[in-house]
Amino acid sequence: MKRRDFLAASAVAGVATVCGARRAAADQAGGGNGMPKLTPPEKPAELNLCLQWGAIPGGEIKEKLDFLEANGFTAVEIPSGDWPIKNCDALIEAMKGRKLFLATACGPSDFSYAEPEKREAEVQKFLPVLEALGKMKSVGLIICPARGKLSEPGRLSAKELRKDFVENTGKRLAEHAHKHGTSIVLEPLRRNETPFLRQVADGARIAADIGPGATVMGDFWHMGLEETSFMGAFICGGKLLTHVHIAGLKERIIPGVHRDADNYVDGFKGLKLIGYRGAVSFEGGWPKNPEDPKKGLPQEERIRLIRNMVTLLREQWAMA
Ligand code: MG
């Protein structure tokens, strides 16, 4: 059996398994045999591949969006900071008539300062960004509530931060986002990056506690260390899951370079079970240039790797 035939056969078997499992789970009103009851999604899930702005070949906005459309992407992720404010009108104009949606804006944030003035400055910084994202019909603004060690002087404790984020900083940002038709998207990170928010289930709980305008995302790279199951984590995100980051699972570079390690089928099954229709966006680096590690990869090689990733992720989505 050729590789393509094998994958096609696996895809049919995979969908049958998912649909069968979904139906069986739904049929068990109340979970008769002790298994959890899953409600089948109203609309089937969709794979919307996406690139972050810096990874898209091309210089001008139009050139980058043209590349995405020509290479099978259906979503775009932009930088955060003042980028959305500066480029709001130009991006709205460039997106007209395209089969692309604006996923998220991604950049640093920190709400763990002990000094209320510093936390307030962070809130004030993001309010106009959320307005611009709302105007651009973006899914939302990615927020990592805290980085580094909360045990350091000048930081809130994890308990204090959770309360303040849910009742004050995160709450106000989410309300503002909701008012402008967008959201804040909480991103769980690895334990070496934050002690505060590491799992999708916890992010979903924080988002639910905040209320309208707060959602959660999953990043395969962080999840690889922090979750026991990609599928289980995405199911925990449920309807609150609005964005996904993806990278190689062995090395944080474009998927497909370490092909044996880069298996996302279990995670994609979870996304299918919750009817996920948001973006799956590559966030990561590139392999070293074998000719000269200091130089970075030539553009043609990056494009080849991007196309290779698209093929790999589509195959695995079909298998899930
Ligand atoms: Mg990420």
Side-chain angles (χ1 to χ4, degrees), residues 46-49 75 101 103 139 241-244 275-280:
E46 260 175 17
L47 178 64
N48 288 300
L49 294 175
F101 70 88
V139 169
L241 190 90
T242 56
H243 195 60
V244 171
Y276 181 72
R277 297 166 78 91
V280 174

Side-chain angles (χ1 to χ4, degrees), residues 263-279:
N263 187 334
Y264 309 95
V265 176
D266 177 69
F268 285 170
K269 279 182 184 167
L271 295 178
K272 284 190 172 179
L273 283 167
I274 61 170
Y276 181 72
R277 297 166 78 91

Side-chain angles (χ1 to χ4, degrees), residues 13-319:
V15 168
T17 309
V18 168
C19 292
R22 209 152 54 191
R23 218 173 296 120
D27 286 342
Q28 297 160 14
N33 62 357
M35 294 295 285
K37 186 186 168 194
L38 291 175
T39 311
E42 287 159 23
K43 284 185 187 172
E46 260 175 17
L47 178 64
N48 288 300
L49 294 175
C50 175
L51 288 180
Q52 291 193 326
W53 201 249
I56 312 170
E60 299 299 312
I61 291 180
K62 184 185 174 301
E63 207 183 335
K64 284 177 180 280
L65 300 184
D66 286 347
F67 176 88
L68 290 178
E69 280 194 319
N71 288 278
F73 292 90
T74 41
V76 57
E77 180 165 341
I78 57 173
S80 165
D82 57 4
W83 197 99
I85 299 168
K86 282 186 178 161
N87 296 282
C88 184
D89 293 338
L91 193 72
I92 289 172
E93 192 56 36
M95 290 283 277
K96 276 184 188 161
R98 293 184 188 268
K99 292 191 189 87
L100 288 171
F101 70 88
L102 179 56
T104 49
C106 184
S109 58
D110 195 337
F111 297 90
S112 70
Y113 301 111
E115 285 174 59
E117 297 76 19
K118 285 191 179 170
R119 298 201 301 276
E120 186 58 28
E122 199 76 348
V123 171
Q124 293 302 324
K125 181 175 87 185
F126 286 118
L127 294 176
V129 178
L130 288 166
E131 288 164 27
L133 292 176
K135 201 173 162 192
M136 290 188 273
K137 298 192 167 38
S138 162
V139 169
L141 172 69
I142 295 177
I143 296 274
C144 306
R147 282 183 179 268
K149 293 192 178 88
L150 293 181
S151 54
E152 283 170 359
R155 301 281 164 180
L156 296 175
S157 70
K159 197 175 170 186
E160 290 165 335
L161 171 58
R162 198 183 195 287
K163 184 172 166 53
D164 186 69
F165 190 74
V166 168
E167 295 175 4
N168 175 30
T169 53
K171 177 88 174 167
R172 286 159 60 210
L173 288 173
E175 283 177 350
H176 198 69
H178 190 60
K179 189 173 136 196
H180 290 273
T182 185
S183 73
I184 60 167
V185 184
L186 306 182
E187 178 169 20
L189 302 174
R190 290 190 161 213
R191 61 192 62 200
N192 54 314
E193 295 170 311
T194 183
F196 181 67
L197 174 54
R198 298 186 284 113
Q199 291 191 307
V200 175
D202 193 22
R205 189 62 255 167
I206 294 173
D209 287 351
I210 291 173
T215 66
V216 69
M217 62 168 287
D219 180 324
F220 272 98
W221 172 251
H222 305 307
M223 290 166 73
L225 182 70
E226 299 295 344
E227 308 282 359
T228 50
S229 158
F230 289 125
M231 178 166 65
F234 284 137
I235 291 172
C236 290
K239 284 198 170 88
L240 288 171
L241 190 90
T242 56
H243 195 60
V244 171
H245 278 162
I246 198 161
L249 294 173
K250 181 180 172 189
E251 197 181 353
R252 201 178 186 185
I253 57 173
I254 189 156
V257 176
H258 303 294
R259 200 157 178 123
D260 292 345
D262 296 343
N263 187 334
Y264 309 95
V265 176
D266 177 69
F268 285 170
K269 279 182 184 167
L271 295 178
K272 284 190 172 179
L273 283 167
I274 61 170
Y276 181 72
R277 297 166 78 91
V280 174
S281 183
F282 163 51
E283 180 185 53
W286 304 89
K288 288 200 170 77
N289 185 336
E291 316 263 302
D292 181 356
K294 283 182 197 151
K295 264 190 176 170
L297 277 191
Q299 183 85 306
E300 318 83 71
E301 180 58 7
R302 287 189 184 207
I303 291 173
R304 189 190 70 77
L305 289 173
I306 289 172
R307 290 179 177 150
N308 179 56
M309 173 186 76
V310 169
T311 306
L312 174 86
L313 298 183
R314 284 208 179 129
E315 284 175 359
Q316 294 197 3
W317 181 262
M319 288 163 76

